């Protein structure tokens, strides 16, 4: 709602105290679709009981969270009126009262006026006109209904009103409330340079306003720390955050939250998406790799796509040097003509500074792994030997390294004669870094001796 | 729709001109890279009604900025834009903030914007056609109805049976015909800059469509491929450098901003008439659907509406049908795949215009004389779970009959006439059979790298029957029997693949060829023309 609409709407609420100005608006937006609004206005108090109305509050205000604070002010009662004005409501309210009917002659257009009393508005409107009873527009002919006045408790928009008593004088009062409909997340643009093995990263704060209200010239503060789930689970359950960091940044903190204040006052219009830059780092070392997780006893007759991953750090030393609010990282790569092309995106959680990140941007077209169970023999009732072969193929004209992870090694499972030494990721996962020559194939073979 | 196209101009003239509002030029250079729907799998067709892919669009525009702070507007971006993905480069003063306003000009938005403001009420007499205008104030507009105030008092809009509407004296700032992308920037002196705007947009898709003509013996095929790309947006991309990207890249389903305002509906007070018996009288009146008087004009309007819609649908089908059936003539050389990280990028040979709501085809490849091996393929579980418990029950009713599937097998290498990346797509395989070309299958292909095996699964070979029964079982052993029959006049190769066979011991006796492949035991048999064959073997396990 623009300020002009607000001023024009004032005559409708003649009883309310005039609100003089808006000295300030603070908007604090949390990452979970929640915002704290502090609306500071100058109000003239009469010294007696009076009603203060706030009309241009968020249309989605949570009224139970609203508080008004000013010096020498006592709040008697707080009302949130959302009995919205509508033709049905106004007619219901007119029961027992007098309305004016204007009938239009369909043939000539001539108008005749009558006064009627509304007897009932159940299903249809029953009127008393003089001594006869009539159903409104029962004959289907045009009839205008004119109401003398709108009942004062009905509003054109949700309105917060407060019954207050304060010592006489003009002073500032602050209204604070929570509202949904405002939210933010981060969006990252990462440009990977294959030759230098570096990334340039830009971080943008994206805030969205669906609250139904425009916030004019607001001091805006964004708070990170409330985890927000973005999107559904992806095609791989590899977490992007592979090592949580321990460094403290220079960002302002509040308890467990990081604060991102916007440098300038800004207007957050209704139905607007706004982006402000908060990170711009060039030439951060990054590595590119391949990874695939194989399930226990997984046999495939076709080669499986491996995930292509990009790893980098958020550390101040050799990394982005900042904590990263939850958001989506979009990866770009320059094509042969130098134009950046999109190669995939991944959501990341709130990431402390000093963390290591591995971003899975999707499937590799040319690098695949086919897991094949060669044999499975019973040694005794609790012991089996399973021979696996992982055929790693590479159709690229350069050698690659693929991390093959075997999942599900529960119980006492030992590795017999692996074709290359393994590395245990945890008790149930063994990993190998398999080197594959250009346009070539490498077979990784291992036998699992599992006892239950 | 013509009046709608004229609206932005009218807005620009009527609205108060803000000094800091500058529009960038129309795009001078356009580049579009189209990505396929990641959820579509290998096959599937794309439909203009529901495009799940996306595109990255790069526009080069010029702008002249006087000194000061400016809101730079980009008009004519694709409507499927994902605003948070937009990147603006080349601005000397950098980007202070980016905005995307989705408050669109609509009847409901006008109602909302003029709530509490002055409007003009216009009533037209149905008898004389004369219009009367009355100054009024719009009191309230909501999903429950519209109320206005005139000198006489409060009234509800269109509850009267009269033809009445509002006229607004001017358009409202902040409402636009399309979502508008803008950036806030600073200029220290007057500059003319060439800026690049790059963004992701939804409502695009592409797919590879392959046609394979198999020779009579089924040992060679001529392979052709089309790139079918589609733009479901209402914005055209004229003379765009066009690329497509193949490979399974990852996309997140981040929440998108709703761009619609809450609707304003014309609702009235209860309007039941005496002949209308309420269906459920005890329910509150507000649940009674709003009364609408049947009028001759309305009926006429409805009828003509139906005719118009029908015409439109027919036309759109007419327009779409030839595009799908008649492929454009192949341009000189099909594009070479270019490596883009771990994906494949194809450039269309020349810039092309991708019109709004258009499907377009371009040649992907032509590979005549690809050698293939036709094999009849059948997959069986090594353990026959339908075997009877009792021992020695020959001809028990547990026999199961299977029909193998014809598979064309080859390897994606130079020796077989291929040797190039094959993006995932839908095949249409046709074969010459007794002088006619018949469709024999529509298999899907996954993303296939060089030197990878290719298997095209065609229709079931209904003239070949395979019957399996278990004639005897022991604690850790099954005596199984296969009966094979071929009604074909030519010899055929049958491969029976036994799955879950890693821990099974097979004994086929001598003279039967078996081998292990891809973790399965494969039994390979040559079937003579019009023949029957029986095979007895045992399956044991620990």
């Amino acid at each position: 709602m623009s300020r002009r609409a607000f001023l024009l709407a004032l005559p409708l609420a003649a009883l309310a105290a005039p609100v003089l100005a808006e000295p300030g608006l603070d908007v604090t937006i949390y990452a979970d679709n929640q915002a704290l609004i502090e609306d500071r206005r100058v109000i003239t108090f009469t010294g007696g009981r009076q009603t203060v109305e706030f009309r241009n509050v968020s249309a989605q205000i949570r009224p139970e969270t609203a508080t008004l604070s000013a010096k020498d002010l006592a709040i008697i009662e707080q009302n949130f009126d959302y009995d919205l004005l509508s033709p049905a409501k106004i007619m219901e309210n007119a029961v027992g009262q007098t309305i004016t009917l204007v009938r239009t002659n369909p043939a000539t257009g001539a108008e005749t006026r009558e006064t009627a009393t509304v007897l009932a508005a159940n299903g249809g409107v029953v009127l008393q006109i003089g001594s006869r009873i009539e159903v409104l527009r029962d004959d289907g002919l045009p009839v205008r209904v004119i109401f003398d006045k709108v009942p004062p408790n009905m509003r054109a928009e949700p309105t917060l009103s407060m019954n207050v008593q304060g010592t006489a004088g003009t002073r500032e009062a602050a209204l604070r409330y929570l509202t949904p409909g405002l939210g933010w997340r981060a969006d990252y643009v990462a440009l990977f340079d294959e030759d230098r093995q570096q990334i340039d990263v830009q971080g943008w704060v994206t805030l969205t306003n669906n609250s139904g209200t425009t916030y004019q010239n607001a001091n805006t503060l964004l708070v990170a720390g409330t985890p927000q789930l973005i999107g559904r689970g992806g095609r791989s359950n590899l977490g992007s955050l592979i090592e949580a960091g321990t460094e403290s940044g220079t960002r302002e903190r509040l308890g467990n939250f990081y604060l991102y204040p916007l440098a300038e006052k800004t207007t957050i219009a209704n139905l607007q998406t706004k982006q402000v830059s908060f990170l711009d780092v060039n030439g951060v070392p990054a590595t590119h790799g391949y990874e695939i997780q194989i399930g226990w006893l997984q046999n495939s007759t076709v080669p499986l796509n491996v995930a292509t991953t990009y790893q980098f750090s958020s550390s101040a030393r050799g990394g982005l040097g900042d904590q990263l609010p939850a958001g989506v990282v979009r990866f770009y790569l320059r094509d042969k003509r130098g134009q950046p092309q999109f190669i995939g995106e991944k959501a990341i959680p709130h990431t402390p500074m000093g963390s290591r990140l591995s971003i899975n941007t999707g499937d590799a077209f040319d690098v695949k792994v086919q897991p094949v169970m060669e044999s499975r023999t019973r040694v005794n009732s609790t012991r089996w030997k399973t021979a696996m072969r992982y055929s790693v193929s590479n159709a690229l004209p350069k050698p690659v390294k693929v991390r093959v992870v075997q999942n599900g090694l529960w119980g006492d499972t030992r590795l017999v004669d692996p074709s290359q030494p393994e590395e245990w990721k945890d008790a149930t996962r063994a990993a190998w870094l398999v080197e594959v020559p250009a346009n070539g194939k490498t077979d990784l073979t291992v036998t699992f001796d599992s006892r239950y | 729709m013509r009046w709608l196209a004229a609206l932005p101009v009218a807005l620009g003239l009527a609205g108060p001109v803000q000094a800091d509002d500058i529009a960038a030029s129309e795009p001078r250079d356009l580049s579009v890279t189209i990505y396929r729907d990641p959820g579509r799998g290998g096959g599937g067709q794309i439909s203009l009604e529901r495009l799940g892919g996306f595109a990255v669009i790069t526009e080069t525009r010029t702008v002249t900025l006087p000194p000061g702070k400016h809101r730079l507007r980009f008009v004519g971006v694709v409507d499927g834009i994902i605003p948070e993905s937009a990147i603006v480069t080349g601005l000397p003063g950098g980007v202070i903030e980016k905005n995307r306003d989705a408050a669109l000009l609509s009847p409901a938005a006008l109602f909302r914007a003029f709530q509490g403001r002055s409007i003009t009420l216009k009533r037209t007499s149905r008898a004389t056609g004369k219009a009367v205008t009355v100054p009024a104030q719009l009191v309230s507009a909501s999903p429950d109805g519209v109320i206005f105030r005139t000198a006489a008092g409060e009234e509800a809009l269109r509850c009267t049976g009269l033809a009445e509407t509002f006229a607004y004296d001017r358009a409202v700032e902040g409402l636009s015909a399309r979502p508008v992308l803008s950036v806030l920037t600073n200029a220290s002196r007057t500059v003319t800059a060439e800026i690049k705007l790059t963004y992701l947009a939804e409502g695009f898709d592409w797919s590879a469509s392959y046609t394979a003509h198999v020779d009579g013996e089924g040992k060679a095929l001529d392979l052709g491929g089309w790139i079918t790309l589609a733009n479901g947006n209402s914005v055209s991309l004229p003379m765009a450098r066009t690329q497509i990207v193949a490979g399974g890249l990852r996309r997140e389903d981040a929440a998108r901003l709703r761009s619609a305002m809450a609707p304003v509906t014309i609702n009235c007070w209860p309007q039941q008439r005496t002949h209308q018996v309420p269906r459920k009288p005890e329910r509150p009146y507000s649940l009674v659907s709003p009364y609408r008087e049947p009028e001759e004009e309305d009926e006429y309007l409805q009828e003509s509406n139906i005719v118009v819609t029908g015409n439109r649908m027919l036309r759109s089908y007419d327009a779409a049908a030839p595009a799908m059936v008649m492929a454009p003539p192949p341009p000189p050389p099909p594009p070479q795949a270019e490596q883009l990280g771990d994906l494949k990028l194809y450039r269309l040979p020349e810039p092309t215009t991708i019109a709004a709501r258009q499907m377009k085809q371009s040649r992907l490849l032509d590979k005549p004389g690809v050698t293939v091996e036709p094999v009849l393929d059948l997959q069986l579980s090594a353990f026959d779970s339908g075997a009877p418990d009792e021992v020695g029950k020959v001809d028990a009713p547990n026999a199961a009959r299977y029909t193998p599937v014809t598979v064309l097998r080859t390897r994606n290498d130079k020796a077989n006439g291929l040797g190039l990346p094959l993006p995932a797509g839908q095949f249409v395989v046709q074969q010459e059979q007794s002088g006619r070309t018949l469709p024999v299958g529509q298999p899907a292909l996954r993303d296939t790298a060089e030197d990878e095996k290719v298997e095209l699964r065609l229709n079931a070979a209904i003239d070949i029957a395979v019957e399996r029964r278990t004639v005897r079982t022991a604690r850790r052993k099954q005596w199984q029997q296969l009966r094979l029959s071929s009604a074909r006049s030519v010899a055929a190769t049958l491969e029976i693949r036994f799955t879950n066979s890693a821990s099974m011991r097979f004994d086929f006796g001598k003279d039967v060829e078996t081998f292990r492949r891809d973790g399965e035991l494969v039994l390979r048999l040559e079937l003579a023309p019009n023949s029957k064959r029986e095979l007895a073997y045992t399956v044991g396990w620990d």
Side-chain angles (χ1 to χ4, degrees):
Chain A
M1 292 300 109
S2 74
R3 195 175 310 177
R4 188 189 322 208
F6 165 68
L7 288 174
L8 272 173
L10 265 179
L12 282 176
L15 291 172
V19 175
L20 295 183
E22 292 176 54
L25 188 61
D26 288 355
V27 178
T28 306
I29 305 176
Y30 299 84
D32 63 343
N33 190 30
Q34 192 81 247
L36 173 69
I37 313 283
E38 182 172 317
D39 192 344
R40 287 186 307 279
R41 309 183 188 194
V42 174
I43 298 177
T44 305
F45 293 102
T46 57
R49 289 196 174 187
Q50 70 186 116
T51 305
V52 183
E53 289 207 338
F54 295 91
R55 299 188 72 98
N56 51 349
V57 295
S58 164
Q60 294 186 34
I61 180 174
R62 289 172 56 191
E64 73 277 13
T65 64
T67 53
L68 180 69
S69 57
K71 262 187 198 158
D72 305 322
L73 179 75
I75 295 170
I76 300 148
E77 188 180 81
Q78 177 175 311
N79 295 299
F80 185 59
D81 292 316
Y82 47 92
D83 199 7
L84 292 180
L85 199 57
S86 72
K89 287 274 169 60
I90 201 172
M91 182 64 86
E92 193 187 23
N93 216 279
V95 170
Q97 308 204 359
T98 312
I99 57 171
T100 306
L101 304 180
V102 180
R103 297 180 194 271
T104 308
N105 185 318
T108 64
E111 293 189 341
T112 46
R113 295 175 85 88
E114 271 180 317
T115 306
T117 307
V118 183
L119 294 183
N122 303 317
V125 178
V126 183
L127 302 170
Q128 180 171 16
I129 304 166
S131 58
R132 70 178 192 279
I133 309 288
E134 202 178 284
V135 173
L136 179 62
R137 296 202 62 211
D138 202 34
D139 51 8
L141 293 176
V143 180
R144 280 167 58 200
V145 176
I146 300 171
F147 302 92
D148 294 340
K149 67 173 196 327
V150 173
N153 59 328
M154 283 190 199
R155 317 280 181 181
E157 62 210 44
T159 303
L160 188 72
S161 66
M162 292 187 173
N163 222 333
V164 297
Q165 185 165 12
T167 49
T170 299
R171 57 187 178 276
E172 195 177 276
L175 173 72
R176 281 186 210 95
Y177 60 89
L178 286 175
T179 177
L182 281 160
W184 73 281
R185 64 149 194 259
D187 280 284
Y188 302 91
V189 176
L191 182 64
F192 182 68
D193 187 328
E194 268 185 321
D195 298 334
R196 296 203 189 116
Q197 298 278 301
Q198 285 179 344
I199 48 169
D200 299 343
V201 179
Q202 280 184 347
W204 294 86
V205 160
T206 306
L207 62 94
T208 55
N209 178 8
N210 275 327
S211 70
T213 306
T214 294
Y215 304 91
Q216 302 278 356
N217 285 323
N219 294 310
T220 307
L221 181 68
L222 308 169
V223 180
T226 319
Q228 183 196 20
L229 205 62
I230 293 174
R232 283 186 264 120
R235 65 175 70 193
S236 152
N237 53 6
L238 302 182
S240 341
L241 181 64
I242 51 178
E243 193 189 322
T246 52
E247 297 172 25
S248 302
T250 52
R251 297 266 178 212
E252 213 178 317
R253 286 181 83 143
L254 183 74
N256 287 330
F257 300 120
Y258 281 107
L259 307 182
Y260 294 84
L262 300 196
E264 300 182 31
K265 280 192 180 180
T266 186
T267 294
I268 311 166
N270 187 30
L271 296 173
Q272 189 180 54
T273 308
K274 181 184 285 296
Q275 285 193 304
V276 182
S277 169
F278 75 95
L279 180 73
D280 195 352
V281 193
N282 292 318
V284 172
T287 55
H288 169 226
Y290 300 94
E291 183 162 325
I292 188 166
Q293 303 223 20
I294 308 286
W296 177 236
L297 301 184
Q298 186 178 349
N299 185 81
S300 178
T301 57
V302 290
L304 306 175
N305 288 98
V306 306
T308 181
T309 58
Y310 295 91
Q311 283 104 20
F312 54 91
S313 158
S314 66
S315 167
R317 294 177 297 277
L320 300 179
D322 204 343
Q323 57 272 352
L324 309 175
V328 175
V329 185
R330 295 194 177 80
F331 261 82
Y332 291 79
L333 197 64
R334 288 192 192 279
D335 65 17
K336 296 269 182 324
R337 299 190 187 172
Q339 186 174 328
Q341 299 282 3
F342 178 66
I343 57 165
E345 68 185 12
K346 176 90 167 83
I348 58 164
H350 284 305
T351 303
M353 193 160 140
S355 304
R356 273 205 72 73
L357 285 151
S358 178
I359 305 292
N360 165 11
T361 60
D363 296 337
F365 196 102
D366 290 305
V367 181
K368 300 196 179 183
V369 172
Q370 185 177 6
V372 170
M373 197 185 353
E374 297 283 26
S375 72
R376 182 162 160 82
T377 47
R378 181 175 181 264
V379 180
N380 58 45
S381 61
T382 60
R383 196 171 154 199
W384 289 77
K385 280 191 174 172
T386 310
M388 291 293 295
R389 171 169 55 86
Y390 310 91
S391 294
V392 188
S393 58
N394 172 22
L396 289 171
K398 61 177 184 193
V400 296
K401 286 180 187 173
V402 183
R403 182 173 298 279
V404 178
V405 180
Q406 174 65 60
N407 282 344
L409 305 178
W410 295 99
D412 180 7
T413 300
R414 299 171 196 183
L415 271 53
V416 184
D417 294 335
S419 59
Q420 68 181 75
E422 79 281 4
E423 167 200 330
W424 286 86
K425 290 192 103 173
D426 53 43
T428 64
R429 289 190 297 166
W432 295 266
L433 194 61
V434 182
E435 289 185 32
V436 193
N439 296 105
K441 196 180 237 184
T442 302
D443 277 358
L444 166 71
T445 56
V446 61
T447 299
F448 297 99
D449 183 353
S450 52
R451 303 137 203 254
Y452 302 101
Chain B
M1 292 300 277
R2 183 164 295 167
W3 65 274
L4 210 102
L7 264 177
V9 181
L11 274 176
L13 289 176
V17 180
Q18 281 180 287
D20 60 352
D21 226 38
I22 291 177
S25 75
E26 289 288 304
R28 285 198 303 105
D29 180 56
L30 262 176
S31 161
V32 56
T33 307
I34 300 178
Y35 298 76
R36 52 182 279 134
D37 180 356
R40 189 150 44 78
Q45 286 182 335
I46 52 179
S47 123
L48 265 181
E49 305 308 313
R50 199 180 53 249
L51 297 175
F54 58 99
V56 174
I57 296 169
T58 303
E59 306 174 344
T60 308
R61 300 179 184 233
T62 45
V63 64
T64 303
L65 297 170
K69 196 167 170 184
H70 308 286
R71 198 166 92 102
L72 178 59
R73 291 159 55 96
F74 296 95
V75 183
V77 296
V78 166
D79 35 342
I81 179 172
I82 300 172
E84 61 269 29
S85 71
I87 308 166
V88 180
T89 52
L91 274 175
V95 174
I96 301 168
E97 63 175 45
K98 287 187 279 189
N99 291 300
R100 192 247 196 168
D101 288 283
L104 301 184
L105 182 60
S106 68
L110 276 176
F111 270 131
R112 297 243 167 205
F114 277 90
Q115 197 165 286
R117 292 162 79 169
S118 298
I119 38 115
T120 306
L121 175 75
K122 192 173 136 201
R123 284 205 183 95
T124 308
S125 160
R126 286 208 163 89
T128 63
K130 223 176 81 182
V132 181
T133 57
V134 183
Q137 191 190 16
L138 181 52
V139 175
S140 153
S142 72
D144 297 323
V146 178
I147 292 174
F148 61 89
R149 180 190 301 142
T150 60
E154 257 84 20
E155 289 185 62
L157 182 70
R158 236 168 286 157
C159 294
T160 54
L162 293 168
E164 56 190 16
T165 186
F166 292 153
Y168 310 94
D169 52 350
R170 60 191 166 79
V172 197
E173 328 77 86
L175 294 178
S176 57
R178 296 254 171 77
V180 174
L181 184 77
S182 62
V183 298
L184 218 57
T185 186
N186 254 327
S188 50
R189 58 192 165 80
T190 302
V191 283
T192 299
E194 185 167 274
I195 48 178
K196 271 196 173 151
L197 170 67
T198 301
Y199 57 92
L200 264 71
E202 292 179 324
F204 289 89
D205 203 352
W206 79 271
S207 77
S209 334
Y210 298 96
T211 50
H213 280 271
V214 188
D215 68 0
E217 290 196 333
K219 299 209 165 154
L221 56 81
D222 294 339
L223 181 63
W226 290 108
I227 295 164
T228 306
L229 53 91
N231 172 14
N233 287 282
S234 57
V235 172
S236 294
L237 302 166
M239 292 314 280
R241 287 179 289 117
T242 306
Q243 293 87 232
I244 56 158
V245 168
L249 53 76
R250 186 194 179 89
R251 288 274 284 137
E252 300 281 353
D253 299 326
R256 302 258 175 273
L257 178 72
R258 286 179 303 142
S259 63
M261 249 182 208
V264 172
T265 327
I266 301 289
N267 271 324
C268 287
W269 47 73
Q271 297 217 334
Q272 246 172 44
R273 294 159 71 183
T274 41
H275 66 276
Q276 291 168 321
V277 180
R279 253 174 269 159
K280 286 185 179 170
E282 74 279 5
R283 300 194 72 176
Y285 58 81
S286 57
L287 292 179
V288 174
S289 57
Y291 167 71
R292 194 159 174 278
E293 191 179 349
E295 281 165 358
E296 275 179 28
E297 291 94 326
D298 275 35
E299 274 164 25
Y300 174 70
L301 211 68
Q302 268 177 0
E303 252 174 38
S304 65
N305 266 349
I306 289 167
V307 173
V308 170
T309 318
N311 266 342
R312 271 197 196 148
M313 283 177 69
L314 277 175
R315 248 184 237 150
S316 73
Y317 277 128
D318 278 345
M324 290 171 65
V325 175
M326 270 176 23
Q336 288 282 316
E338 181 181 314
Q339 196 67 30
L340 176 71
D342 286 306
L343 305 168
K344 300 287 177 189
L345 181 125
Y346 296 85
R347 288 176 202 282
L348 262 51
E350 44 199 63
T352 180
T353 296
I354 304 170
R357 306 203 48 77
Q358 190 185 49
M359 227 178 208
K360 203 176 194 72
Q361 288 186 303
S362 176
R363 205 67 184 154
L364 173 65
L365 55 88
D366 279 296
K367 289 280 168 188
V370 177
T371 52
V372 289
E373 185 199 8
V375 174
L376 298 166
D377 177 81
L378 179 66
Q379 197 180 32
L380 291 177
S381 177
F383 177 75
D384 184 2
S385 54
D389 293 335
E390 290 170 55
V391 171
K393 242 193 174 182
V394 186
D395 287 332
N398 67 317
R401 179 168 289 135
Y402 305 90
T403 309
V405 167
T406 309
V407 173
L408 298 180
R409 216 178 256 155
T410 188
R411 185 161 281 279
N412 183 10
D413 56 17
K414 294 265 189 301
N416 285 302
L418 287 169
L420 75 174
L422 297 173
Q426 182 90 40
F427 262 80
V428 174
V429 184
Q430 296 175 329
Q431 190 168 17
E432 293 264 326
Q433 281 171 346
S434 42
R436 285 163 183 262
T437 303
L438 297 171
V440 290
Q442 300 194 15
L445 183 79
R446 61 179 198 286
D447 281 331
T448 305
E450 255 177 89
D451 206 36
E452 201 174 304
K453 67 173 178 180
V454 179
E455 280 189 349
L456 300 176
R457 293 181 74 76
L458 307 182
N459 296 344
I462 50 171
D463 47 2
I464 310 284
V466 176
E467 219 174 85
R468 176 169 75 166
R469 67 191 67 212
T470 298
V471 294
R472 202 183 140 195
T473 60
R475 209 166 79 86
R476 294 187 185 278
K477 200 167 185 178
Q478 284 185 333
W479 281 260
Q480 297 183 357
Q481 212 175 66
L482 284 173
R483 286 183 186 174
L484 317 163
S485 58
S486 166
R488 270 191 194 182
S489 54
V490 290
T493 307
L494 173 67
E495 282 187 3
I496 298 177
R497 299 182 283 134
F498 290 96
T499 59
N500 303 321
S501 57
S503 58
M504 304 297 222
R505 280 192 307 274
F506 287 81
D507 185 2
F508 282 96
K510 278 181 275 180
D511 307 331
V512 176
E513 185 195 352
T514 62
F515 53 92
R516 289 196 70 83
R517 184 182 63 204
D518 298 334
E520 297 172 326
L521 183 94
V522 184
L523 170 65
R524 193 179 163 102
L525 300 162
E526 299 297 327
L527 293 180
N530 304 99
S531 68
K532 268 192 182 176
R533 186 167 175 185
E534 272 195 20
L535 203 68
Y537 56 96
T538 59
V539 182
W541 60 94
D542 292 317

